[in-house]
């Protein structure tokens, strides 16, 4: 990723359900113009409740993709919704 | 720079994997992805200018507003693409300057100019539908920033298609004199748009590689067939005649037959010898010079921020 300054990530709060999603980025001299530009570039036709911008330099991501964490959670079967059914079936088929 | 194991990368792509901008990728993949997006970016800008000059000549306020919206969309499309290009190190200035310096070439359709009011809707209809056919294919790309940009672009491009279809139909319904003028427009634009998809893929190493990497999805010939399948019935339903007496559906081959564009002539056009090649080059150069003060002002502000 380039280290250019003055890049703002653009987020939109959708109309329904009100949820914040990332839509892209703009290059602008300041926050106010970044919002204006984001409006022109990304919301000429599409509706959104409101939009926000964050200077890319201030956006902190976790170190590694969270995929590894998801896989670990899947391995802890008691945290998954299918756990109870599986456990019950196992108990039922167990010879008494 | 992360060293990428090419074999592992290709296996991942072959398995349906996708690549985002911060993921490791071979330099050549990055270069090709950037080149493809930069090329489309330039096309959006010049394509926008081609229609922008019709805004003042448009004879109704509503049509003026609709056309203005279309031109704004084209510039928006260029912007979605160039933000990703810039993140990969290709600046917006470079995209324009490479064209002005003759280092990059425009698509063949942008070497012509729309000359009459009756011509523009049919030019737009054929161009927009061709672009949509191409984007529908390219949106399956392995490069996620491009896929995301194309998704937005396609939604708006479909507005343009319907706008063009509506105006073409309106003009055709105004009587034989109007339909004749639209037909003249079709006669002018049919062949350039048929050639827009590029020459038959000769199986070049370049094409093979980009298809293996899913930076290109369908062959040029397949895209041309998709376009014909979609547009021949639409154009005929408007009471217009397709200016190619060899055009017919081949039942056995399950494909359209058509007169092959003269590829040597098309190449000549792309190299800057089309009827409006010089006009567009001058127009872009003039606009780029005239807007220089805005860029300087913005850059100074960014530096100060």
């Amino acid at each position: 990723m380039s280290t250019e300054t003055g890049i703002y990530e653009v987020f939109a709060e959708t109309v329904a359900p009100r949820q914040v999603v990332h839509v892209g980025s703009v290059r602008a001299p300041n926050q106010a113009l970044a919002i204006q530009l984001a409006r022109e570039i990304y919301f000429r036709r599409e509706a959104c409740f409101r939009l926000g911008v964050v200077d890319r330099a201030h956006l902190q991501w976790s170190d590694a993709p969270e995929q590894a964490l998801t896989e670990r959670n899947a391995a802890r079967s008691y945290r998954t919704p299918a756990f109870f059914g599986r456990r019950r079936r196992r108990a039922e088929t167990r010879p008494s | 720079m992360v060293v990428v194991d090419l074999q592992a990368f290709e296996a991942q792509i072959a398995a349906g994997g996708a690549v985002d901008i911060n993921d490791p990728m071979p330099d050549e993949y990055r270069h090709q992805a950037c080149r493809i997006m930069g090329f489309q970016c330039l096309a959006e800008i010049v394509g926008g200018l081609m229609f922008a000059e019709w805004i003042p000549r448009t004879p109704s306020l509503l049509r003026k507003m609709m056309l203005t919206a279309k031109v704004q969309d084209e510039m928006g499309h260029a912007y979605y693409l160039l933000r990703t290009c810039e993140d990969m190190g290709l600046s917006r200035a470079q995209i324009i300057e490479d064209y002005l310096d003759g280092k990059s070439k425009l698509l063949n359709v942008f070497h012509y100019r729309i000359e009459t009011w009756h011509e523009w809707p049919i030019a737009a209809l054929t161009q927009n539908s061709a672009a949509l056919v191409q984007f529908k294919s390219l949106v399956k790309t392995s490069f996620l920033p491009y896929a995301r940009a194309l998704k937005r672009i396609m939604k708006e491009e479909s507005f343009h298609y319907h706008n063009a279809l509506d105006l073409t139909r309106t003009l055709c319904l105004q009587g034989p004199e109007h339909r004749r003028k639209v037909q003249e427009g079709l006669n002018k634009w049919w062949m350039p748009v048929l050639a827009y998809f590029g020459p038959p893929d000769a199986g070049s190493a370049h094409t093979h590689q980009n298809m293996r990497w899913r930076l290109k999805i369908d062959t040029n010939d397949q895209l041309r067939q998709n376009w014909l399948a979609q547009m021949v019935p639409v154009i005929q339903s408007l009471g217009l005649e397709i200016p190619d007496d060899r055009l017919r559906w081949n039942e056995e081959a399950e494909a359209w037959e058509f007169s092959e564009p003269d590829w040597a002539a098309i190449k000549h056009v792309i190299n800057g010898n089309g009827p409006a090649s010089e006009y567009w080059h001058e127009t872009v150069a003039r606009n780029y010079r005239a807007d220089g003060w805005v860029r300087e002002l913005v850059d100074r502000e960014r530096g100060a921020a």
Side-chain angles (χ1 to χ4, degrees):
Chain A
M1 186 70 77
S2 83
T3 51
E4 212 176 356
T5 57
I7 306 295
Y8 293 82
E9 297 296 341
V10 180
F11 297 87
E13 188 171 347
T14 60
V15 177
R18 294 259 299 267
Q19 190 178 359
V20 174
V21 291
H22 180 245
V23 293
S25 63
V26 292
R27 190 182 79 173
N30 57 45
Q31 269 187 8
L33 281 174
I35 290 210
Q36 187 58 43
L37 191 55
R39 206 176 269 144
E40 286 297 322
I41 299 290
Y42 294 100
F43 297 97
R44 289 181 313 279
R45 291 186 189 261
E46 235 170 79
C48 80
F49 180 71
R50 64 180 164 188
L51 60 88
V53 296
V54 181
D55 187 332
R56 185 180 275 177
H58 297 152
L59 193 61
Q60 181 64 54
W61 292 98
S62 57
D63 291 339
E66 298 298 316
Q67 215 170 337
L69 205 62
T70 314
E71 280 160 19
R72 187 198 68 185
N73 288 351
R76 295 174 178 178
S77 62
Y78 62 90
R79 292 192 185 211
T80 63
F83 177 71
F84 302 100
R86 238 184 359 249
R87 186 157 163 264
R88 198 173 53 244
R89 281 193 297 279
R90 227 180 9 242
E92 282 166 5
T93 55
R94 198 173 296 153
S96 48
Chain B
M1 180 68 49
V2 189
V3 179
V4 182
D5 177 351
L6 188 62
Q7 256 185 329
F9 178 80
E10 293 201 337
Q12 182 198 332
I13 297 288
V19 183
D20 213 329
I21 190 157
N22 289 326
D23 295 343
M25 63 186 102
D27 287 349
E28 179 61 14
Y29 177 97
R30 180 187 298 271
H31 171 74
Q32 289 295 334
C34 194
R35 187 188 61 85
I36 292 167
M37 293 181 84
F39 185 62
Q40 185 182 337
C41 180
L42 180 65
E44 299 283 0
I45 292 169
V46 182
L49 289 177
M50 181 182 262
F51 291 95
E53 63 178 5
W54 275 92
I55 297 171
R57 302 177 209 163
T58 295
S60 97
L61 186 57
L62 181 63
R63 294 272 181 207
K64 252 188 223 301
M65 291 194 294
M66 286 157 88
L67 183 52
T68 306
K70 171 186 161 66
V71 171
Q72 284 178 322
D73 284 344
E74 307 291 5
M75 297 307 150
H77 298 174
Y79 200 92
Y80 306 151
L81 298 160
L82 72 80
R83 276 301 312 124
T84 299
C85 290
E86 285 180 332
D87 282 345
M88 294 200 287
L90 174 63
S91 72
R92 59 188 79 184
Q94 191 77 50
I95 292 172
I96 300 289
E97 283 165 19
D98 276 355
Y99 162 62
L100 294 179
D101 296 343
K103 286 183 206 150
S104 60
K105 309 240 180 279
L106 284 177
L107 278 161
N108 73 313
V109 289
F110 301 127
H111 292 265
Y112 301 83
R113 198 175 163 200
I114 296 168
E115 281 153 312
T116 71
W117 169 246
H118 286 73
E119 187 185 324
W120 102 246
I122 196 73
L125 186 69
T126 47
Q127 283 180 24
N128 287 153
S129 56
L132 269 168
V133 162
Q134 200 177 34
F135 299 162
K136 246 182 239 167
S137 165
L138 282 172
V139 77
K140 298 175 208 150
T141 174
S142 61
F143 192 52
L144 290 172
Y146 194 26
R148 287 192 292 263
L150 283 172
K151 244 187 191 164
R152 294 189 82 92
I153 290 172
M154 282 162 73
K155 221 191 273 177
E156 296 177 342
E157 206 65 51
S158 124
F159 278 116
H160 305 170
Y161 172 81
H162 287 288
N163 184 15
L165 183 60
D166 173 71
L167 184 54
T168 312
R169 186 176 287 138
T170 305
L171 289 174
C172 284
L173 288 175
Q174 276 170 3
E177 182 57 15
H178 289 279
R179 176 169 301 155
R180 189 185 58 74
K181 288 184 186 165
V182 175
Q183 179 68 49
E184 281 172 12
L186 180 62
N187 296 349
K188 169 173 166 182
W189 286 94
W190 177 259
M191 195 50 103
V193 177
L194 194 67
Y196 161 92
F197 298 98
D201 305 85
S204 72
H206 203 75
T207 301
H208 279 302
Q209 175 197 269
N210 283 351
M211 289 189 97
R212 202 165 59 242
W213 287 349
R214 275 190 292 121
L215 288 171
K216 185 179 169 88
I217 307 294
D218 294 299
T219 61
N220 295 348
D221 285 327
Q222 185 57 51
L223 293 173
R224 200 170 358 253
Q225 287 289 332
N226 294 355
W227 180 68
L228 287 168
Q230 189 197 324
M231 289 314 287
V232 169
V234 171
I235 290 172
Q236 285 172 343
S237 78
L238 293 165
L240 298 169
E241 237 176 85
I242 291 168
D244 180 359
D245 29 340
R246 293 189 54 197
L247 184 86
R248 69 175 194 101
W249 172 250
N250 184 328
E251 201 69 62
E252 278 163 47
E254 291 194 346
W256 289 92
E257 286 174 10
F258 51 85
S259 306
E260 194 69 27
D262 179 349
W263 293 110
I266 305 279
K267 199 169 170 201
H268 190 63
V269 165
I270 290 175
N271 281 333
N273 304 300
S277 305
E278 224 177 284
Y279 175 79
W280 290 120
H281 191 271
E282 268 168 31
T283 304
V284 173
R286 194 178 56 244
N287 281 309
Y288 190 64
R289 268 199 311 274
D291 296 342
W293 69 273
V294 180
R295 288 192 301 277
E296 268 170 41
L297 194 64
V298 168
D299 282 343
R300 211 180 310 154
E301 278 283 318
R302 278 173 65 230

